[in-house]
Amino acid sequence: MFRLRPERLDCSALAQGLGGDPRVGGCVTFAGVVRNHNNGRAVERLEYEAYEVLAVAEGRRIVEEALEKFDVLCVECEHRVGLLEIGETAVWVGAAAAHRRAAFEACQYVIDELKVRVPIWKKEYYTDGGAEWVLCAHCSAAGPHSHPEHVHSA
Amino acid sequence: MKKTVLEIEVRYFAGMRERAGRDSEVVETAAGTPAELYAELRARHGFALEQAHLRVAVNDAFAKWETPLSPGDSVVYIPPVAGG
């Protein structure tokens, strides 16, 4: 399941929810956290904005794909919207499987696809007073399945 | 031959919302596709991004740039995403 949340993500409750199936032997979780710098600029806070209907639909598609591609029992993902302070969790992904490898792979698949496919945007507010919407035009132009192996946040 | 004029709802997000100065607008247009409509809106609002850097959604689903538009369609241009 994929959800957007305007309030803080409860990572421990999310992680607990993953292990309910007695067949589970491994849980992998990823938390993307707001850091205080990006591309050499000091960041004070972030704002996430979503095209809600399509973001939820695409997020759910990605989770469904992970469930089909990997031998996992449960996949969950939540993403924040609104204003976030440094240290807050912006995105959380969890995967549970009988064996660890599938759980690692499913978790990585969901965060990688989310970053290039789900219509969510991030505005960085800098300590010097400026603010900018973060653009990775390179990824977008390349399309969701041919993006280069580079990382621009988290 | 005179082109049909359609009423299309366009919604804006993130940097495009700020550039357009509004969340949404209803436009009367002779544009037959999201691509033609983007060219019109880009000229009107001065959007910096070229079409090649965007995706487009029609009625809340990803769509092709050459999809024919119908009266009352809702169109969203999707700038490069930055979730996570």
Side-chain angles (χ1 to χ4, degrees), chain A residues 72-139:
Chain A
V72 287
L73 295 162
C74 180
V75 177
E76 293 280 342
C77 180
E78 292 197 352
H79 200 296
R80 273 291 295 280
V81 289
L83 279 173
L84 280 75
E85 303 296 328
I86 305 303
E88 287 192 63
T89 302
V91 59
W92 187 93
V93 183
H99 302 285
R100 68 184 181 282
R101 183 174 302 276
F104 275 110
E105 286 171 345
C107 189
Q108 174 137 33
Y109 178 81
V110 170
I111 188 63
D112 287 351
E113 293 294 310
L114 178 146
K115 279 174 164 287
V116 292
R117 289 169 54 184
V118 177
I120 296 174
W121 299 276
K122 172 165 60 184
K123 189 173 190 174
E124 291 179 338
Y125 291 83
Y126 305 104
T127 54
D128 64 14
E132 270 176 29
W133 289 98
V134 175
L135 286 181
C136 187
H138 195 52
C139 281

Side-chain angles (χ1 to χ4, degrees), chain B:
Chain B
M1 200 171 77
K2 192 167 176 283
K3 278 189 131 182
T4 314
V5 174
L6 304 176
E7 270 198 1
I8 303 290
E9 184 200 34
V10 186
R11 283 181 292 154
Y12 298 111
F13 291 92
M16 290 181 72
R17 174 174 53 70
E18 291 182 355
R19 179 77 205 185
R22 67 201 75 191
D23 294 337
S24 67
E25 62 184 333
V26 174
V27 294
E28 288 191 353
T29 178
T33 65
E36 290 174 19
L37 180 58
Y38 184 65
E40 278 184 18
L41 295 170
R42 195 178 176 202
R44 184 181 310 168
H45 295 301
F47 296 130
L49 288 165
E50 290 173 22
Q51 183 190 306
H53 291 150
L54 304 174
R55 298 181 76 189
V56 65
V58 177
N59 301 330
D60 292 333
F62 288 115
K64 293 195 186 332
W65 286 97
E66 301 309 323
T67 307
L69 291 173
S70 303
D73 275 353
S74 167
V75 175
V76 178
Y77 295 101
I78 300 174
V81 302

Side-chain angles (χ1 to χ4, degrees), chain A residues 11 33 53 96 120 130 145:
Chain A
C11 300
V33 175
V53 176
I120 296 174
H145 296 291

